[in-house]
Every structure is written in structure tokens, then in C-alpha cells.
Amino acid sequence: MIRGELINLRPVERTDARFVHALLNQPSVQSGWGTEGVPRSMHAVESDLEQWIESERTAGYPAALIIETLGGSAAGLMVLVRSTRYQQAMITLSLAIDAAYQRQGIGWEALTLLTVTLHDEWHIHRVQLTCEVGNTAAIALYESIGYHREATKRDATFTGGGYHDQHIYSALPGEVVL
């Protein structure tokens, strides 16, 4: 478990299926992830959980983390996708915060804690994330932590009936500090 002042990060478990299903079907999460209007079935979520759990077993680190309040309530999800290129120490993160917990500092602490842990303890050199160009909350969060905008992918996602540009952000060791 990765412990913070507001939250803890723990590996996802099968018992998290209902929470993850509800989270990924929230309009604010779908909008932020570029999946607006695309419902996720419980079966698909359970399949994702199994893949994340198996990945943890084989890779030796969690592929998904639940963001929990100090009281033990699930507040969000972080998904870690490691580059498959030979000896490349890079992870792409996805972050989703339950609507009831947004704008309370939980996303800031979760992203900061995980980024510092990835760099300092798991020896991941590059951590990156993407977000839709219009996702001003994510942009403000990433930049406030110390992530750098590197590029904009044109028409990278299709959601809400149209194509949208997407920013790529990254952080290298020492750029994000607690």
C-alpha cells in the first residue's frame, strides 16, 4: 500500500468490480477518459480486473490501483500500462476520480504519490498521461504537479460524435516532488 495524507493507494481486487463498474460509467469519468457515451458492462470490468491482477502476478507490480480515503472508501482508480519495448522504463497512467470525491485534492495527492513512487522506488524513468484538449481540470492538475506538456495529437479520440485533440504530458525523475 502507498500511504498518503488524504488517501492510500492499494492494488485492485476482484471485490472492487462494482465500484470500478460504477466509476467507469460516470459521465464525468467518461468525458475525461474520452469514452463519453460508451457504457462499460460488468463483464468487461471483471475481465479488466482479471487482466490487471494477472499482470501484477507476472510483472511484480500492480497494473491498477484503487484510490481509497483514509476511512477505506473507494474514491478512484489509477491504471498503469508499462511499455512493452525491451528495457524501456516507461509507464502510461490513467486516472479516474469518483464524482463525489472530485476537487478535494484526492487526484493531486494520488498522482503525486504514485509518480514519486514510480520514479524513486520502482525505477520507472518516464511517466506519461494523456488528456483531451478541453479537459481543463486534468490540464490544471497535471501542470500543478509538475508534468510537462510535450505534444498534442490531432483528432486522437472520437467521443460525443466528433474527433478531439489530445495532449501528452510526461514527468521525469525530480520533476514531481511531494
Side-chain angles (χ1 to χ4, degrees):
M1 183 170 305
I2 302 169
R3 298 185 187 281
E5 292 181 17
L6 298 174
I7 54 97
N8 293 317
L9 301 173
R10 64 161 176 81
V12 70
E13 302 287 349
R14 287 178 185 92
T15 55
D16 295 314
R18 284 191 179 165
F19 168 73
V20 173
H21 177 257
L23 179 70
L24 296 181
N25 281 293
Q26 288 180 6
S28 64
V29 170
Q30 288 185 340
S31 177
W33 276 27
T35 58
E36 191 172 4
V38 181
R40 295 282 296 164
S41 70
M42 180 61 86
H43 179 75
V45 168
E46 289 170 344
S47 177
D48 288 344
L49 290 170
E50 291 302 324
Q51 289 176 6
W52 295 333
I53 291 167
E54 178 61 17
S55 176
E56 179 181 3
R57 187 187 70 72
T58 58
Y61 65 89
L65 297 162
I66 294 293
I67 303 166
E68 281 187 337
T69 66
L70 297 181
S73 298
L77 172 71
M78 299 185 84
V79 178
L80 298 76
V81 178
R82 188 159 192 171
S83 173
T84 57
R85 294 184 65 190
Y86 180 71
Q87 292 191 353
Q88 187 161 355
M90 178 177 79
I91 283 185
T92 302
L93 297 178
S94 295
L95 170 67
I97 304 296
D98 186 285
Y101 294 97
Q102 292 176 1
R103 304 201 190 309
Q104 297 177 28
I106 288 172
W108 185 92
E109 184 172 71
L111 186 54
T112 302
L113 276 173
L114 184 56
T115 303
V116 169
T117 298
L118 289 169
H119 288 149
D120 295 350
E121 296 176 29
W122 298 7
H123 308 292
I124 301 298
H125 183 73
R126 177 187 170 84
V127 181
Q128 70 179 23
L129 332 106
T130 61
C131 72
E132 311 306 306
V133 169
N135 190 343
T136 56
I139 291 167
L141 172 65
Y142 303 162
E143 292 178 355
S144 74
I145 290 172
Y147 275 79
H148 298 270
R149 185 183 311 168
E150 293 187 334
T152 302
K153 299 186 298 184
R154 298 177 306 138
D155 286 352
T157 61
F158 184 85
T159 185
Y163 288 96
H164 303 278
D165 294 351
Q166 190 177 59
H167 292 313
I168 300 172
Y169 282 86
S170 73
L172 301 177
E175 294 178 339
V176 173
V177 293
L178 287 172

